[in-house]
Amino acid sequence: MCAEDVPRPYRPESLAELVARNESASNVSSNNDGGFRQGAFAAAPEPLPEPVYDNHTHFDFGDSPVGLADALDAAQAVGVGGAVQVGCDLPSSRFTVAAVEANKRLLGAVAIHPNDAPELADAGTLEDALAEIDALSTHPRIRAIGETGLDYFRTGQSGVAAQHHSFREHLEIAKRRNLALQIHCRDAHTDVLNILQKSGAPERMVFHCFSGDAELAKICNDNGWYMSFSGTVTFKNAKNLREALAIADPALILVETDAPFLTPHPFRGRPNASYMLPYTVRSMSQLLERELVGMCQLLRRNTEAVYGSWDD
């Protein structure tokens, strides 16, 4: 999650409540107040020639979500064969475990978002929350710890220490459980890199919603860290992302929606969803001057290298 304006979260009391909602994706969209109204989801793109995976999405966000199975059906119809559902607090991480049990097209990631860490620390509950994340991470279809990292955009100086502590603890969980790590980094690249250098990175690590430049891409290349590009790479003002993508090691490139945020151009401002991923995949293929079939195969191979098989 790396949007400036976050809609009100929808976190159902149970997965059954979410699955029971069968609203069509074509009937739901974003209001100016962050809610949703009818008619603003973009039309489905042309299907991809080979299946790919959405490596970071939030099926539990939004005021009127479509049913989980319906959302995955819509994605599969355009060549998105599966997704990584990502938790960013305890409710969404619990949801993630329930979701991966309910639908085999999902793998999961669980974590405490860096913006939540200072509040939990102030309340004296951060250690308990981290312990629960550790316990949730033992589920066989939880394949990553995330999203974790640092975010100085919303958190002031008083919260930095708690963010650093939480990030280091997540790193240790990922290494202890042999899981991938999904990093959220906003206005904090230098400190993220310093902590990774001092604490040591897990074997597989992803910069979710890659927001760096060519220099950070070179660092990722040198360390074997994955770079996950979202709809932001299609934005007209995202020259830095396109420069980073151009020099990124092809074996380290992933793709994501971060839905319901970061909808790709020309639908920016509308709600995002996994079925929108082909717009970003096609843009990446064109920017890299790669055949679309080969681009899809590359992205699928890279994603499975990070998270393993969806069939296991």
Side-chain angles (χ1 to χ4, degrees):
M1 179 175 62
C2 58
E4 292 187 15
D5 299 315
V6 180
R8 298 186 297 274
Y10 174 87
R11 298 195 175 102
E13 292 299 320
S14 68
L15 185 65
E17 180 183 342
L18 177 60
V19 174
R21 292 172 176 260
N22 293 314
E23 293 89 350
S24 166
S26 63
N27 292 329
V28 185
S29 79
S30 145
N31 274 328
N32 291 332
D33 63 0
F36 290 90
R37 67 166 179 242
Q38 291 190 349
F41 266 104
E46 182 181 349
L48 294 170
E50 292 273 350
V52 299
Y53 298 107
D54 182 353
N55 123 102
H56 187 113
T57 190
H58 303 278
F59 283 105
D60 56 311
F61 275 47
D63 291 326
S64 298
V66 298
L68 181 63
D70 289 344
L72 288 164
D73 287 346
Q76 191 167 10
V78 295
V80 182
V84 179
Q85 157 63 29
V86 178
C88 51
D89 59 14
L90 290 182
S92 63
S93 293
R94 294 167 188 151
F95 168 89
T96 296
V97 171
V100 299
E101 288 185 345
N103 200 301
K104 297 304 181 183
R105 290 173 288 186
L106 291 178
L107 295 177
V110 294
I112 301 299
H113 193 280
N115 287 135
D116 286 356
E119 294 181 10
L120 293 173
D122 289 344
T125 58
L126 179 57
E127 300 308 318
D128 289 341
L130 291 168
E132 183 170 347
I133 292 299
D134 187 26
L136 292 171
S137 74
T138 63
H139 190 285
R141 295 189 69 79
I142 298 299
R143 304 289 177 81
I145 298 300
E147 56 189 282
T148 182
L150 302 177
D151 187 326
Y152 296 164
F153 181 77
R154 296 188 186 88
T155 298
Q157 186 62 37
S158 63
V160 167
Q163 284 201 8
H164 284 206
H165 172 70
S166 180
F167 184 26
R168 288 192 295 266
E169 291 300 305
H170 281 86
L171 280 168
E172 293 308 311
I173 294 172
K175 289 186 285 187
R176 184 169 65 251
R177 301 296 185 189
N178 191 28
L179 296 172
L181 188 85
Q182 287 205 7
I183 288 184
H184 170 106
C185 180
R186 190 164 190 190
D187 296 348
H189 287 113
T190 298
D191 283 357
V192 164
L193 293 174
N194 286 339
I195 289 175
L196 290 173
Q197 181 180 23
K198 293 177 181 178
S199 298
E203 182 178 349
R204 302 175 310 284
M205 194 176 73
V206 179
F207 275 85
H208 134 69
C209 185
F210 185 86
S211 59
D213 54 15
E215 181 179 356
L216 182 59
K218 291 177 183 176
I219 293 171
C220 289
N221 287 345
D222 292 342
N223 287 277
W225 297 337
Y226 290 83
M227 294 157 273
S228 180
F229 291 88
S230 68
T232 53
V233 77
T234 72
F235 293 176
K236 294 179 179 179
N237 62 348
K239 180 182 178 183
N240 65 309
L241 298 182
R242 289 186 282 275
E243 290 175 346
L245 177 61
I247 69 157
D249 182 344
L252 299 174
I253 293 171
L254 303 175
V255 67
E256 66 175 85
T257 59
D258 196 22
F261 316 111
L262 306 182
T263 311
H265 177 80
F267 306 106
R268 187 176 181 181
R270 297 189 184 189
N272 202 3
S274 287
Y275 82 93
M276 296 285 286
L277 195 68
Y279 289 112
T280 303
V281 173
R282 283 189 167 86
S283 179
M284 293 170 67
S285 175
Q286 292 167 4
L287 288 167
L288 294 176
E289 298 181 346
R290 281 179 170 262
E291 292 290 337
L292 184 58
V293 169
M295 189 75 211
C296 293
Q297 293 171 341
L298 174 72
L299 291 168
R300 184 174 71 251
R301 184 166 60 247
N302 292 351
T303 309
E304 290 176 342
V306 176
Y307 304 105
S309 172
W310 265 250
D311 296 330
D312 294 343

